[in-house]
Amino acid sequence: MKLFIGSLPYNITESELNELCGEYGTVVSAKLIVDQFSGQSKGFGFVEMSTRSEGHKAMDALNGREYNHRKLVCNEAKPQAKKGQRRR
């Protein structure tokens, strides 16, 4: 299950994101979204959990949780739009 995690602190690393979600199950991948020019985090990322039950456990625990003085947003990621198309 792929999760969207928003309102992350800008100084978080992918390994810290992996650890944060790893408390609730096996993390398959953790990816922070960064600005292509500055290299700074945009404050959100995606984490893939190995099972849906672990994903739901992480989602329930992280959504609304305070982390480094920021209130996290965590929900199931929506499918990625094809290149060249924008969601409306």
Side-chain angles (χ1 to χ4, degrees), residues 13-71:
T13 64
E14 283 185 357
S15 63
E16 289 173 320
L17 181 59
N18 194 332
E19 280 182 36
L20 180 67
C21 295
E23 297 177 32
Y24 308 103
T26 304
V27 175
V28 175
S29 66
K31 178 76 175 148
L32 279 175
I33 305 304
V34 296
D35 182 88
Q36 66 182 18
F37 299 109
S38 70
Q40 180 170 345
S41 167
K42 289 189 172 186
F44 67 95
F46 297 92
V47 174
E48 189 173 350
M49 302 298 286
S50 64
T51 65
R52 287 193 69 75
S53 63
E54 290 175 350
H56 283 289
K57 190 189 310 183
M59 207 172 15
D60 292 341
L62 294 175
N63 194 36
R65 175 180 164 185
E66 192 166 309
Y67 181 77
N68 285 358
H69 309 290
R70 309 253 341 222
K71 196 171 196 173

Side-chain angles (χ1 to χ4, degrees), residues 1-5 44-49 52 55-56 59 73-81 87:
M1 174 179 209
K2 194 169 193 177
L3 302 175
F4 165 83
I5 303 180
F44 67 95
F46 297 92
V47 174
E48 189 173 350
M49 302 298 286
R52 287 193 69 75
H56 283 289
M59 207 172 15
V73 174
C74 182
N75 48 45
E76 189 169 357
K78 295 178 178 148
Q80 188 174 5
R87 295 183 151 228

